[in-house]
Structures are given as structure tokens and as C-alpha cells.
Amino acid sequence: MHEGSPVAVSSGATVRPGDARYRGLISGANTRWVGTPEYVRLVSSAAEVVAAVQEAVDQGLRVTVRSGGHCDEDFTTSSGIQVVINVAGMDAVYYDEERQAFAVEPGATLGRVYETLYRGWGVTLPGGTCPTVGAGGHIAGGGYGALSRLHGLTVDYLHAVEVVVVGADGRARTVVATSEPDDPHRELWWAHTGAGGGNFGVITRYWLRAPGTASAEPADQLPAPPAELLVSDVAWSWDDLTEEGFTRLVRNFGEWHEANSAAGSPGAGLYSQLKTQHRSAGAFRMSTQVDASVPGAPELLDAFLAAVNEGTGAEYSVNDRSVLPWFYVVREWFGFVEPSLPRWKAKSAYLRQAMPADQLAALYRQLTREDYDNPFSMVALVSYGGRINDVEAGVTAVAQRDSVMKLLYVTLWTEPSEDDRHDRWIRECYTDVYAATGGVPRSNDVTDGCFINYADADLADPALNESGVPWHELYFGANYPRLQAVKRQWDPRGEFGHALAVRPAG
């Protein structure tokens, strides 16, 4: 081999304590969660996953899987985890001629997926805006992003999934489950359209294509992204906003989405994140993008900005307004990316309509508290609806199909000594906003539960969730019993699980 030739990573490499790589492989992006597994197995094929799972099962070791490592909670690092199967090396993205669908392996990051699909075929998936998130957990949890109002959720394009499961006999094997009505494994496919990762086995490959597509041409089998986007980033100074002005602004944002989230409406081509940061930040931002090819795109953006700002008594400053190629935006534009701080806690909610007065008052109260001053604590209101809501709640495992916004509560920090302080704020904020419904966003006319990819283990802790609403109702609604049936069939020994994993009916 001549000097400079690439060297493949050894197949099935095992990393144990004492190996220089171990420390870098036992935690993910959220560094507050650090595991102590007996070993980490690095895999590059489904066959290696089968072998790794079988070895763990034979030894009676608790096993979990990691792809991108962006889990909000300790699902891959909790004290009971003895083996971590790291699938980051399984990152291929290609067109499968036999299945006439695009194959995506679980270790592929969203950035890699978007780049490969776009460069090769001029298509994309309506997935998330963070390019370093792994496809493995993102897709299984539902997957949504800036193009979802135009094209639906990522799982609306899931044609098939390959999973390493463990049968009642304790033997590991791969199973391919498809969306075909006559597939005897179809329920396993369905469970991977929104239940989240770590539930039924180890995902080793997804196949994606638009349902009902008759064309055999790959370029016709996934959505084409807009050629260009009109992007906008504006900010409001807290000093310019009274409580009335702030609550009016947030209510305006919600009311615009109530009126402009029907699939096919001009407003469905607009996606925005209103990131209301704690007052100690001095200001907060709203990042927006519009398909620049939509007739009147500049006027649509102007009307949106005017509607959000109406009656606030304040003026926003413009940080950015430009027309950029979609491919540039999806790789480089950071209007949707938050500071990269190593520790965080997140919570979520779906909104069917604008926040009511009691929630707005609580939001203002929590974001202006003088006994807490983290500028990287925020509640982000994010565009939802559009084509997402064209799909009935039971067609996929994603139960929330009539909301117009999604909320992300998040606080980020650096020092481990501050964990309790930041956890306390976000828990008090969440409980305050949803005080009228027991401290959680139970399903009613206004809210509709939570998003499993913004995992919040507090909801499964009786000491922290005193609402009487079980965690699984908040995440999965009426779909949970069906998910439990899949769990009983495909993970009968309970080899896979975490704090928010589907549990078989007891």
C-alpha cells in the first residue's frame, strides 16, 4: 500500500475503558450524560450489528445504540447500559434500484443526507435544520423541519426499514418491514414512523420515497427543494417591549399560523422560528425562510413580519434579509442554529392555536425572572401544519396531525455545577405555562402533547409529573396501545428500552 492510501476502520472494533477512544465514545452531544459501558462496539454493516447484539444477549448484557448522539436525555448513557453499539460508521446514502427507493443508513447525518440527495438527484427530505443530527433517531421519531409545511414529515416518505431484532428464542436477526399493505411485518414499519429510537431493535437502514409515486425515475421519488430561499433574521430588544407588547407579539405569531397553515395556502411556503430568549440576553430573534419562487414571496415575508409586530409598540432590527440558494442555506445559514453549548435540558409542546392569555402571562413571567439570568434559556415557537396535517393521526405513529406550531423549551449551559439551577428553571417555566392543565400540555383545544425527539424524561417521573396524564399519552396519544402490541411481538424479551421507550401492556 503506497503512502497516503485510505485505511478502512476495522470491522466490529471493540473499544473498552483504557482505550484512548473510550472517553470520546461514551457520551453524545449533550455532555451532561456520560455512560460507563463495559465496551463500545463500532459497526459498519447490518451483519456486524447482528453479531454485536447476539454477543450482548448471550452474555446477558444490556445493550443500546447510538447514531448521531443528539439525544436530549440519558437514553444511551444510563447506569444500566453495558454495551453501546455505535452505528456512526453506517452512513451510506444511495439509490436502491431493487426497491426503487433511497436508502439511508442510521449513522448518516442530516447534512450528509441532504448533500447526497441534492448533488445526485436534485431531491431532498423534509427533515430537520441541524445538519449534525443523525438520521437514525431523527427519522424514527417523526422528523420535521423547514420544508415540512410544504412536503410533510420525514416519516411520510418512509417506505421500508431494516431492523435487527431479538426473538423470543434469544436469536438476533435482521427484518425488513415495509409500508406495503400485504407485508406481514407492516406493523413493525408503522412503529418506526414516530415512536422514536431504541424501542424495538437496532435500525440498520431506511428506504424512503414518496407514497404512491408511479415513476421509476429517482428524481421523481422525493420532493425537489426550492432553488432559492428568501431568508430573514430579525430581532427585538427587550428594552423596547412592555409585557403587553411581548404578549401581543407572541400571540400575533400564533394567530398568523392559525390563519396560514392550510396545506396548499401561500403561507405554507413560509417557515419561521420565534426564539424568545430570557431577558438577560437583551434581545431575541425570529428566523424565517420563504420559497423564493413563490409569486409575491417578498410581499409574503413583509406581510408576515408586519403581522407579528403589529400592536407591539416596538420595532425590530434586521440582521439578515437575502435570497440564497437552498443548498447554501441548508449547509451554511445559521439563522436556525443555536449556540453550541455542551449541556442542556429540553421540553416540548404542540399548539393547535395561539397561546391563550394565561400561558402568555406565564411565559413572560418566566422569561423576565430576576432570580434567573441565563441568556441561553428560551422558548422557541416553530412553524408546523401545512402538508403535515394532510395525514390522519393513525397513518403513522405520529399522533399530532392538526397542530399549527411546535414549541421547544430549552436551556443551555456549560458548567456541571449549574445543572440543578437550569433544570429548576425549565421545570418551573413549563409547569407555570401549563398550570391550567396540570403542568403539562395535555391534549385539548389548545395543546396536543409533546414531541418524542425532544425527549423529556421528567414526564415519566411521578415525582416531577403530577398531572395525572401519563407520559405515553402526551407523546403518542391514541397510538400507544398499537405501539405496545408491536413491542410485544418484536421485542418479547425486552432487550431494548429507555425511560421513554414503549412498554408492553402489563
Side-chain angles (χ1 to χ4, degrees):
M1 180 182 294
H2 64 78
E3 185 176 350
S5 296
V7 179
V9 175
S10 57
S11 297
T14 300
V15 177
R16 299 182 183 275
D19 188 308
R21 296 169 293 176
Y22 182 81
R23 181 62 181 84
L25 294 171
I26 58 174
S27 66
N30 191 346
T31 61
R32 67 184 302 192
W33 309 125
V34 180
T36 56
E38 294 185 14
Y39 62 88
V40 177
R41 180 65 54 82
L42 306 177
V43 296
S44 58
S45 70
E48 290 179 6
V49 174
V50 171
V53 171
Q54 191 63 65
E55 179 182 355
V57 171
D58 289 346
Q59 295 181 14
L61 301 177
R62 190 71 179 173
V63 65
T64 192
V65 62
R66 174 178 290 132
S67 54
H70 279 250
C71 186
D72 292 334
E73 293 288 359
D74 68 345
F75 295 169
T76 63
T77 60
S78 60
S79 59
I81 297 299
Q82 297 162 298
V83 177
V84 176
I85 299 176
N86 188 307
V87 298
M90 300 178 65
D91 63 353
V93 181
Y94 59 94
Y95 186 74
D96 187 329
E97 293 281 358
E98 182 179 353
R99 292 195 179 274
Q100 292 193 348
F102 290 92
V104 175
E105 292 185 346
T109 62
L110 295 184
R112 178 179 176 85
V113 172
Y114 299 151
E115 181 168 0
T116 304
L117 294 178
Y118 185 78
R119 288 188 186 278
W121 300 273
V123 298
T124 192
L125 285 168
T129 57
C130 180
T132 59
V133 166
H138 182 74
I139 295 175
Y144 87 105
L147 295 181
S148 289
R149 281 164 60 85
L150 285 172
H151 299 297
L153 298 178
T154 310
V155 289
D156 296 339
Y157 297 84
L158 183 61
H159 172 66
V161 61
E162 180 181 70
V163 192
V164 174
V165 298
V166 178
D169 60 357
R171 307 312 298 169
R173 61 191 176 100
T174 58
V175 174
V176 174
T178 76
S179 61
E180 299 298 332
D182 59 351
D183 185 345
H185 303 151
R186 191 177 190 278
E187 284 297 281
L188 183 62
W189 162 83
W190 177 85
H192 284 86
T193 63
N199 277 294
F200 312 103
V202 180
I203 300 161
T204 51
R205 186 162 35 173
Y206 295 106
W207 287 272
L208 301 114
R209 59 173 288 153
T213 302
S215 174
E217 291 296 322
D220 296 332
Q221 293 172 11
L222 285 178
E228 294 182 319
L229 294 171
L230 171 58
V231 298
S232 165
D233 191 71
V234 302
W236 286 268
S237 170
W238 272 107
D239 289 341
D240 294 339
L241 288 165
T242 63
E243 178 175 359
E244 181 182 1
F246 173 82
T247 56
R248 178 69 182 270
L249 189 155
V250 178
R251 185 172 68 246
N252 287 345
F253 185 88
E255 290 177 347
W256 186 92
H257 282 82
E258 284 186 55
N260 292 275
S261 292
S265 70
L270 182 148
Y271 171 85
S272 187
Q273 295 181 354
L274 175 61
K275 294 163 278 194
T276 59
Q277 291 173 255
H278 188 273
R279 186 174 189 126
S280 56
F284 58 88
R285 299 163 47 213
M286 183 172 72
S287 303
T288 307
Q289 69 176 52
V290 184
D291 180 349
S293 69
V294 173
E299 291 77 14
L300 175 61
L301 175 59
D302 288 340
F304 170 71
L305 293 172
V308 173
N309 200 56
E310 183 181 1
T312 64
E315 295 296 330
Y316 56 79
S317 59
V318 178
N319 300 324
D320 188 12
R321 181 177 175 128
S322 52
V323 175
L324 298 169
W326 173 84
F327 192 43
Y328 177 87
V329 173
V330 81
R331 292 179 305 156
E332 307 290 348
W333 196 64
F334 297 103
F336 296 105
V337 178
E338 302 308 332
S340 181
L341 297 180
R343 306 175 80 82
W344 72 81
K345 172 68 178 176
K347 293 176 178 288
S348 67
Y350 288 91
L351 275 172
R352 287 170 158 154
Q353 57 183 263
M355 296 180 80
D358 62 324
Q359 292 185 10
L360 289 168
L363 181 63
Y364 180 83
R365 186 161 53 243
Q366 294 297 327
L367 291 175
T368 59
R369 282 173 57 167
E370 295 183 356
D371 62 340
Y372 181 78
D373 61 356
N374 182 13
F376 302 115
S377 294
M378 72 187 74
V379 180
L381 293 87
V382 183
S383 299
Y384 205 66
R387 293 291 178 193
I388 297 169
N389 294 346
D390 277 355
V391 178
E392 295 294 327
V395 172
T396 67
V398 177
Q400 296 84 2
R401 290 287 188 168
D402 62 0
S403 295
V404 298
M405 288 176 289
K406 185 174 285 189
L407 266 63
L408 168 63
Y409 295 73
V410 64
T411 181
L412 306 96
W413 66 96
T414 300
E415 295 299 325
S417 61
E418 296 184 349
D419 288 0
D420 289 345
R421 181 170 78 95
H422 297 297
D423 280 346
R424 183 167 58 253
W425 174 81
I426 198 170
R427 287 167 177 162
E428 291 175 355
C429 177
Y430 199 69
T431 300
D432 195 7
V433 172
Y434 302 111
T437 52
V440 298
R442 68 169 70 213
S443 183
N444 58 24
D445 291 343
V446 177
T447 54
D448 192 23
C450 307
F451 179 39
I452 191 62
N453 276 359
Y454 297 159
D456 176 17
D458 291 355
L459 296 174
D461 185 344
L464 296 172
N465 177 8
E466 300 177 351
S467 68
V469 182
W471 66 270
H472 55 78
E473 181 178 321
L474 291 164
Y475 284 112
F476 307 121
N479 287 337
Y480 191 61
R482 187 174 171 186
L483 290 170
Q484 289 183 293
V486 177
K487 181 73 170 179
R488 283 194 301 271
Q489 179 178 0
W490 291 102
D491 186 23
R493 295 162 53 99
E495 299 289 349
F496 304 96
H498 50 73
L500 296 177
V502 174
R503 298 153 169 76

